[in-house]
Amino acid sequence: MRVGELARRTGVTVRALRYYEAAGLVVPGRRANGYREYDPIAVRQVEQIRSLMALGLSVEETRPFIECLDSGAESGDVCPASLATYQRAIQQLEERITRLAEQRDGLRAELDAAARRTMRAQPGRRRDIAAVDPATLVGAELPELELRATDGSRVRVRALGQGRSVLFGYPLTGRPGVDLPEGWGTIPGARGCTEEACGFRDHHADLLEAGAARIYGLSAQSSGYQREVVHRLRLPYPLLADPHLMLAAALGLPTFDVGEMTLYRRLTLIVVDGRVEHVFFPVEPAGHAEQVQRWLTEHRL
């Protein structure tokens, strides 16, 4: 068969077939007129190469299997050289998995150390923010500032986009293996951040259906810490990092001190065209996402 027919039957490009030919794996014969002509076995050879490459073998590592087929074997992996290639590839993978696991454990240790550092005071953080009555925030214009999001973007809070944006602020989310600040469980309104974040996760589609164009979480934690939370909790929305409490300073959002940290109090803003349309405060973590959903449904634009 000609090269075009072989490419069609095996689903590979002509360029790939030329590469296999140059490697001496799938070699056509020559007609008297000089045209290349592939034997029927070439289909099995190409399919064998493709299946092995899908398992992670290189083109060169498929050679024993092709030679096995050329010897007349029914399958390319019944010859001793093919079996040895399998064993060698498995051993290499196991060694690589071991190295990756060691790297993963090392990164986790670094993340834990960094997370503990974020539990301490951060230089330059404002601690003299005077909170205003949240009810007076309705109609307030959001400041012209950018916050880093966990999806890698920088979000302009005054230009979140068309439609309603839900921005829920929360103190902090704990991480397994990292201690929370001393006395955390006794602070009113401190506990429940993970529950609240998961509530917005579980009702994300319902909130969008009710009229939210987008949802953001906001905390004073670092973006790196937040990314771990997004990954672990599988959050479908980004979190915004405001470690210096710039939005709180601009709007007078309520905060509280714990240890050496100043954190956001739990509060949710509905934002339209860069202005605050509605404020939820105080907020109970359990059922809050449903509360926001009901409000959106009752106040459709």
Side-chain angles (χ1 to χ4, degrees):
M1 73 190 78
R2 298 287 298 277
V3 65
E5 174 67 12
L6 180 59
R8 185 188 65 79
R9 293 178 61 178
T10 57
V12 303
T13 64
V14 172
R15 182 177 181 180
L17 293 176
R18 299 298 189 211
Y19 179 68
Y20 301 157
E21 179 183 350
L25 295 173
V26 184
V27 182
R30 290 279 185 175
R31 288 183 176 181
N33 58 11
Y35 287 116
R36 292 179 174 87
E37 183 74 19
Y38 289 90
D39 291 333
I41 196 176
V43 174
R44 295 176 60 198
Q45 292 174 330
V46 174
E47 290 174 345
Q48 180 79 86
I49 293 172
R50 292 190 66 191
S51 65
L52 292 171
M53 291 181 66
L55 292 174
L57 270 65
S58 67
V59 172
E60 181 58 32
E61 287 175 320
T62 69
R63 188 177 301 279
F65 300 85
I66 302 305
E67 292 175 348
C68 190
L69 286 174
D70 288 341
S71 69
E74 294 184 0
S75 176
D77 57 7
V78 298
C79 299
S82 303
L83 298 176
T85 301
Y86 276 149
Q87 293 172 339
R88 184 168 56 253
I90 292 171
Q91 181 180 355
Q92 291 172 349
L93 279 175
E94 289 177 343
E95 292 173 353
R96 185 183 178 192
I97 290 170
T98 299
R99 292 194 301 270
L100 289 174
E102 292 173 350
Q103 293 174 0
R104 177 202 60 201
D105 294 342
L107 288 170
R108 282 179 174 172
E110 292 296 327
L111 179 59
D112 286 345
R116 292 188 180 92
R117 287 194 292 271
T118 63
M119 294 296 184
R120 308 188 186 103
Q122 299 188 26
R125 169 176 287 175
R126 292 191 56 175
R127 302 177 58 80
D128 57 350
I129 297 172
V132 301
D133 180 358
T136 66
L137 290 171
V138 175
E141 186 177 35
L142 271 66
E144 190 63 62
L145 61 86
E146 289 186 344
L147 299 178
R148 186 180 299 278
T150 49
D151 60 7
S153 65
R154 298 192 68 87
V155 175
R156 294 176 56 203
V157 296
R158 186 181 290 182
L160 295 178
Q162 294 183 342
R164 280 179 169 140
S165 300
V166 177
L167 178 62
F168 71 95
Y170 62 93
L172 62 82
T173 49
R175 183 177 187 275
V178 179
D179 293 333
L180 290 170
E182 185 176 355
W184 184 255
T186 64
I187 300 173
R191 297 178 63 87
C193 297
T194 298
E195 181 180 10
E196 183 181 12
C198 290
F200 278 102
R201 175 198 66 192
D202 297 340
H203 293 275
H204 185 258
D206 298 329
L207 290 161
L208 299 183
E209 177 66 23
R214 61 199 62 82
I215 298 170
Y216 293 103
L218 169 75
S219 77
Q221 292 174 291
S222 69
S223 188
Y225 196 104
Q226 290 178 335
R227 282 194 294 272
E228 188 278 331
V229 173
V230 169
H231 175 74
R232 174 163 48 85
L233 300 182
R234 302 182 184 276
L235 301 183
Y237 53 84
L239 301 179
L240 304 181
D242 189 9
H244 301 296
L245 298 170
M246 295 185 294
L247 187 59
L251 294 179
L253 301 182
T255 62
F256 69 98
D257 291 347
V258 54
E260 297 296 327
M261 296 184 298
T262 301
L263 303 172
Y264 276 101
R265 289 192 181 276
R266 208 178 307 280
L267 171 144
T268 298
L269 305 177
I270 306 297
V271 178
V272 179
D273 297 330
R275 291 186 179 274
V276 178
E277 180 186 16
H278 186 75
V279 180
F280 293 89
F281 184 84
V283 168
E284 288 294 331
H288 179 52
E290 296 98 312
Q291 179 188 16
V292 175
Q293 179 187 342
R294 288 193 297 271
W295 188 93
L296 291 169
T297 300
E298 294 168 0
H299 299 81
R300 290 186 180 274
L301 291 175

